[in-house]
Amino acid sequence: MQNTTDFPTKTLKYDPIIYSLETPKYHLLQFDANNRFAGWVFNFGKLKINSINVYNDEQFVGNFIVDGLREDVGGHVPSIAAAKTCGFAFDIKISKTLKKVLFEIVFDDASKEPFFEFDVANAFSQRVYFKKLRQEITAIHKPAGELVYLTQGHYHVEEYQNSIIPGVLNMRQYLEHSGVDLNNIHSLLDFGCGSGRYLVGWHLIAPHIALHGCDLNTTLMSWAQNNLPNQIKCLKNNLIPPLSYPDNQFELIYFISVFTHLSLNLQKIWIQELKRILKVGGYILLTLHGEFYVRNCFWQESDKIEEFLSSGFIKNASDDEGANLCGTYHTPAFVEELFQEFQLVGYFPNGRINQHRTLFQIAQSQDVYVFQYNGNE
Ligand SMILES: C[S@@+](CC[C@H](N)C(=O)[O-])C[C@H]1O[C@@H](n2cnc3c(N)ncnc32)[C@H](O)[C@@H]1O
């Protein structure tokens, strides 16, 4: 990957290509038909992304301009003018025999780099299973836009629902790449589960797992308790431990974009509580804001960026702990120290796996970590 940013390069470990493919989700792909490939992408650096080349396997399909108005994205990225017009949308015919759609970025100096691959063969081989999941998910209640906003920052109920299956499949990839055998996971906790979207995903793809969720938000928890399938058990908790679960209950605890909103002090307190309810040999998966987020949020405060790079951690000025406006940021070295009683078994910077960009991420461009708890050695 080329270094396309003008930031100091000594610490440039994050992927400056920030993106989201919004459609088609794998389980909604249509075969022998045109599919709309739509999303957004910008470079968090000097060069602007002009267009995307698309190849069906090795065959060039077309060059598509990246210039769609995306104020929703640009509003979060004030330092990059091109983020306001980073949208793309085009149709591609997907045949049953196609293996992959390959995407390539074209910058405004005409240089190119691979973007991502869309795995058509896998979606085709799973089409019957995906159809079943699609049918099952439509029978499950979905939260209203106002509730979706509380966890996702947008009001699009359909997008929320369509993100569940590919999101949980993305989480499963991180676990599998960390050596977690899902057959050995019998009980999991989604800590900070919001309206329980990923619990719904696990309910559909791994019904053998006893599913628990908790969150401090009363509105979200009461909706989850009243609307999610009965097999999903949700509890409201407080900002500070304890949780009401017994010791050694879970083989997996995950928290998606939760420590990103808690002070360091509370993170340390919660790690001890989560350790208490985790079985020895069990796993923790979490997502955190890494360097890209710091450089974006503090783009006019170089002293904050320096503080982050030297101390490994920074928090923004909000004291509203647990709320989305309260933001915290971690370097990988700091995270390993924070979870020193655990063994790091998986690290996926910006959600990538082995340097490959993943689609339909559990938490937009956040770093994903998987730890195993081996007891007090
Ligand atoms: C950005 S949302 C993510 C929700 C969910 N994990 C998802 O990915 O859809 C963060 C969630 O963490 C919850 N949260 C923050 N601090 C918490 C705490 N101390 N205990 C439980 N939930 C917490 C918030 O109420 C909110 O629902």
Side-chain angles (χ1 to χ4, degrees):
M1 149 125 24
Q2 61 182 56
N3 273 348
T4 48
T5 109
D6 51 352
F7 291 116
T9 53
K10 69 177 166 83
T11 54
L12 185 66
K13 297 193 194 79
Y14 59 90
D15 181 2
I17 304 301
I18 312 298
Y19 65 98
S20 172
L21 180 71
E22 293 171 323
T23 67
K25 306 282 198 269
Y26 280 126
H27 69 300
L28 298 173
L29 196 65
Q30 302 284 316
F31 296 96
D32 288 335
N34 274 335
N35 284 263
R36 172 133 293 213
F37 282 76
W40 52 265
V41 57
F42 65 88
N43 177 25
F44 195 67
K46 239 188 196 165
L47 293 179
K48 180 176 173 302
I49 295 173
N50 261 359
S51 61
I52 299 171
N53 284 333
V54 177
Y55 302 81
N56 273 353
D57 292 330
E58 304 301 311
Q59 184 101 37
F60 179 69
V61 175
N63 172 267
F64 302 97
I65 299 299
V66 175
D67 66 355
L69 193 63
R70 288 303 299 246
E71 282 173 354
D72 54 336
V73 179
H76 293 289
V77 193
S79 65
I80 304 290
K84 289 190 185 60
T85 52
C86 65
F88 60 83
F90 44 83
D91 293 335
I92 299 180
K93 173 114 189 258
I94 300 294
S95 74
K96 288 176 182 148
T97 52
L98 190 62
K99 299 274 174 285
K100 286 183 190 319
V101 187
L102 306 167
F103 291 75
E104 182 181 60
I105 287 167
V106 184
F107 294 97
D108 57 358
D109 68 351
S111 61
K112 299 171 192 164
E113 70 164 58
F115 186 11
F116 62 80
E117 294 183 2
F118 190 96
D119 191 345
V120 177
N122 186 45
F124 184 69
S125 70
Q126 302 211 63
R127 66 196 182 287
V128 175
Y129 176 55
F130 281 161
K131 185 175 176 193
K132 176 176 161 284
L133 293 179
R134 282 201 307 269
Q135 285 165 346
E136 287 172 351
I137 207 162
T138 51
I140 295 176
H141 291 175
K142 36 186 191 281
E146 290 68 32
L147 258 67
V148 169
Y149 179 78
L150 292 178
T151 57
Q152 310 305 307
H154 66 71
Y155 293 90
H156 308 298
V157 176
E158 200 181 331
E159 168 60 21
Y160 171 93
Q161 197 178 34
N162 288 343
S163 76
I164 290 174
I165 290 168
V168 82
L169 293 177
N170 177 242
M171 194 184 333
R172 189 171 75 179
Q173 279 185 303
Y174 298 131
L175 292 167
E176 288 174 350
H177 279 266
S178 306
V180 180
D181 181 351
L182 284 168
N183 294 317
N184 295 333
I185 304 293
H186 304 288
S187 180
L188 70 72
L189 174 67
D190 183 332
F191 175 65
C193 65
S195 42
R197 62 184 175 134
Y198 290 133
L199 289 167
V200 169
W202 285 114
H203 172 67
L204 297 179
I205 74 162
H208 71 281
I209 302 179
L211 298 170
H212 297 262
C214 65
D215 201 290
L216 55 72
N217 185 301
T218 310
T219 312
L220 290 165
M221 272 310 81
S222 102
W223 183 87
Q225 284 163 342
N226 290 322
N227 290 281
L228 294 183
N230 289 336
Q231 296 91 329
I232 300 175
K233 309 289 178 211
C234 287
L235 285 180
K236 177 181 169 334
N237 66 280
N238 295 320
L239 182 62
I240 297 170
L243 295 169
S244 54
Y245 307 108
D247 295 0
N248 308 314
Q249 176 162 352
F250 299 106
E251 279 123 4
L252 171 65
I253 301 175
Y254 63 83
F255 28 118
I256 311 301
S257 209
V258 178
F259 271 25
T260 42
H261 307 295
L262 293 177
S263 68
L264 187 53
N265 184 39
L266 271 189
Q267 291 176 29
K268 288 179 178 168
I269 293 171
W270 273 111
I271 288 172
Q272 291 311 310
E273 175 64 354
L274 297 176
K275 194 181 84 179
R276 177 185 73 75
I277 58 175
L278 191 63
K279 283 190 177 149
V280 173
Y283 296 92
I284 274 181
L285 179 149
L286 75 156
T287 70
L288 294 168
H289 295 138
E291 187 173 335
F292 153 67
Y293 274 91
V294 174
R295 292 189 179 278
N296 181 44
C297 296
F298 301 100
W299 67 290
Q300 288 175 310
E301 297 167 86
S302 57
D303 54 326
K304 298 269 195 227
I305 296 174
E306 281 309 316
E307 184 188 333
F308 170 76
L309 294 175
S310 58
S311 74
F313 175 83
I314 195 168
K315 179 179 167 305
N316 71 9
S318 168
D319 286 327
D320 195 3
E321 290 212 53
N324 290 345
L325 284 180
C326 175
T328 59
Y329 310 84
H330 300 69
T331 62
F334 191 91
V335 177
E336 269 200 88
E337 182 67 21
L338 187 61
F339 285 86
Q340 57 185 268
E341 295 167 273
F342 298 73
Q343 186 193 349
L344 183 66
V345 291
Y347 168 52
F348 306 95
N350 300 118
R352 282 173 297 164
I353 298 179
N354 297 333
Q355 305 291 321
H356 292 290
R357 299 191 181 103
T358 53
L359 297 176
F360 316 122
Q361 294 185 344
I362 45 175
Q364 176 71 52
S365 299
Q366 291 189 25
D367 298 335
V368 181
Y369 297 84
V370 182
F371 289 95
Q372 185 171 27
Y373 179 54
N374 293 315
N376 291 319
E377 286 156 350

